[in-house]
């Protein structure tokens, strides 16, 4: 099941929350910065201990002070490689594999790799929904995905991508 919700990503009712980041661990969007701050210093220390990671890497940490048990960190940008569809796709696929390895049943994510100089929200939505749908067809877990939109614009991008990809989207966006 893929649901569209309105709200704050750090408060999403899921076992794991996905966060996009640079290769040095820094957040690349305001949503990710708020999530990082909410998670707390222990999570930030664990991310820093990971060191520089190549684009496409994904790893888990505890959820810290968020509502989730885990955070899934996706490396989608480095000094050599800007945010792009291929790097985002590799990182998200790897993150979903990590979630499956840990038996995580539900994952929350916002549009990934967006913002000034990054991917357009519409492109991010197509990539994310395509990969989630592909993953659901192959793997048993996670089986529940929550797409968290902060704005009507983001929600519309997810709805349009779902329609274009023939993905059933349970829309609970206010």
């Amino acid at each position: 099941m893929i649901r569209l919700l309105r709200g704050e990503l750090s408060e999403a009712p899921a076992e794991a929350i996905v966060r996009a980041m640079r290769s040095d661990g820094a957040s690349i969007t305001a949503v990710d910065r708020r999530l990082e701050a909410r998670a707390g210093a222990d999570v930030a220390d664990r991310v820093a201990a990971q060191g520089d990671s190549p684009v496409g890497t994904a790893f888990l940490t505890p959820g810290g002070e968020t509502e989730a048990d885990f955070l899934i960190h996706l490396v989608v940008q480095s000094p050599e490689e800007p945010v792009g569809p291929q790097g985002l796709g590799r990182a998200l696929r790897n993150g979903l594999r990590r979630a499956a390895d840990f038996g995580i049943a539900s994952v929350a994510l916002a549009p990934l790799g967006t913002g000034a100089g990054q991917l357009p929200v519409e492109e991010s939505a197509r990539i994310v929904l395509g990969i989630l749908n592909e993953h659901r067809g192959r793997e048993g877990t996670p089986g529940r995905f929550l797409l968290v939109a902060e704005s009507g614009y983001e929600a519309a991008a997810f709805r349009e991508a779902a329609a274009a990809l023939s993905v059933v989207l349970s829309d609970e966006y206010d």
Side-chain angles (χ1 to χ4, degrees):
M1 174 176 68
I2 302 175
R3 287 176 44 202
L4 176 62
L5 303 172
R6 180 180 182 141
E8 176 62 38
L9 183 61
S10 66
E11 298 171 0
E15 273 184 83
I17 298 173
V18 174
R19 166 188 179 248
M21 61 182 232
R22 292 190 327 220
S23 58
D24 63 2
S27 295
I28 60 172
T29 68
V31 170
D32 295 319
R33 284 189 288 281
R34 287 193 310 271
L35 179 60
E36 178 182 31
R38 174 87 185 264
D42 182 53
V43 172
D45 290 345
R46 288 173 185 256
V47 170
Q50 184 76 19
D52 231 29
S53 301
V55 170
T57 301
F59 61 93
L60 271 69
T61 65
E65 301 301 316
T66 69
E67 300 297 318
D69 295 331
F70 299 98
L71 295 182
I72 302 172
H73 306 270
L74 308 181
V75 179
V76 300
Q77 180 182 34
S78 73
E80 299 80 28
E81 189 174 344
V83 176
Q86 293 171 336
L88 174 58
R90 279 194 323 269
L92 183 54
R93 284 183 183 95
N94 284 331
L96 294 174
R97 283 188 207 107
R98 298 289 97 51
D101 290 346
F102 279 79
I104 294 170
S106 60
V107 172
L109 58 164
L112 298 168
T114 62
Q118 312 298 334
L119 292 176
V121 172
E122 296 83 2
E123 186 172 8
S124 173
R126 281 191 304 275
I127 294 165
V128 167
L129 277 167
I131 291 171
L132 295 182
N133 199 43
E134 168 189 298
H135 181 83
R136 285 179 353 154
R138 271 197 332 255
E139 304 285 338
T141 59
R144 189 171 73 115
F145 299 101
L146 307 173
L147 302 172
V148 181
E150 289 192 328
S151 69
Y153 180 74
E154 289 177 350
F158 277 124
R159 283 189 206 105
E160 289 171 17
L165 297 168
S166 299
V167 173
V168 175
L169 184 64
S170 171
D171 194 340
E172 297 181 21
Y173 187 86
D174 294 326

